[in-house]
Amino acid sequence: MVILGIDPGLHMTGYGVLESIGNGTRVLEAGVIKTGESKSFEMKLKEIFSEIGTIIKQFKPDYIAVEELYSHYVHPKTAIIMGHARGVVFLQAARSRIPVISYASTRIKKSLTGNGRASKSQVQKMIKMTLKLRQDIASPDTADALAAALCHHNVLMGK
């Protein structure tokens, strides 16, 4: 089974492709989609849509896992922008007939560390250990995408 984790963002969208083998997992690919500062809003969305489509065609995931959208009332514009990026991911998933599962950030953290309020560094350490990675994850967006994918793997395994 293949799980594609995505951390949607307008300037940088993190992704991580995991193969779930029994109780174990291995990373097939992970990285970021950078849309570039100078592009228009609609061209950034088009690029995210296109790149996610390419990843889906290459790896044929069974599931896509993302973090639920949340916003503090102080930053509603951020939530709206994130909603647009999530929308193109969901549209690409629908076109490919792949179910999208959203998890609250606290659920993802608890799944990986046992603590729903774990720090980003604690989550990254658990990702590195669980996936037996030799190097630190360079991008927080990639780490968040891998965390979402690992969370879904854990849910499927009953953890």
Side-chain angles (χ1 to χ4, degrees):
M1 169 180 39
V2 176
I3 303 167
L4 170 57
I6 300 177
D7 179 36
L10 190 61
H11 302 297
M12 203 171 316
T13 292
Y15 70 92
V17 185
L18 296 184
E19 182 178 31
S20 177
I21 310 157
N23 277 340
T25 55
R26 72 179 179 113
V27 178
L28 300 179
E29 185 172 297
V32 292
I33 300 164
K34 295 179 183 179
T35 58
E37 299 278 330
S38 63
K39 291 184 180 174
S40 65
F41 186 75
E42 61 274 13
M43 293 310 291
K44 290 178 183 189
L45 293 175
K46 180 182 180 222
E47 187 171 347
I48 295 165
F49 181 80
S50 175
E51 292 295 323
I52 294 297
T54 300
I55 293 165
I56 287 172
K57 284 180 186 143
Q58 181 178 355
F59 294 102
K60 298 171 180 48
D62 299 289
Y63 299 97
I64 295 177
V66 297
E67 187 175 310
E68 283 181 0
L69 185 61
Y70 69 95
S71 174
H72 301 286
Y73 291 112
V74 183
H75 304 290
K77 187 175 179 182
T78 302
I80 292 168
I81 290 169
M82 290 288 293
H84 285 81
R86 281 173 52 95
V88 299
V89 168
F90 278 59
L91 178 58
Q92 193 61 271
R95 289 184 75 207
S96 303
R97 293 182 171 82
I98 301 168
V100 180
I101 297 87
S102 295
Y103 293 102
S105 63
T106 52
R107 175 68 177 99
I108 292 171
K109 290 174 182 180
K110 185 169 184 161
S111 169
L112 300 179
T113 68
N115 176 3
R117 302 281 180 218
S119 69
K120 281 198 175 275
S121 65
Q122 289 172 313
V123 171
Q124 286 192 18
K125 285 178 186 173
M126 286 305 296
I127 293 167
K128 185 176 176 182
M129 187 177 78
T130 303
L131 296 175
K132 299 176 178 81
L133 302 176
R134 292 186 179 147
Q135 298 177 341
D136 289 338
I137 303 163
S139 164
D141 303 291
T142 303
D144 288 349
L146 286 169
L150 270 173
C151 176
H152 189 62
H153 165 79
N154 289 343
V155 167
L156 292 174
M157 296 299 113
K159 295 180 184 180

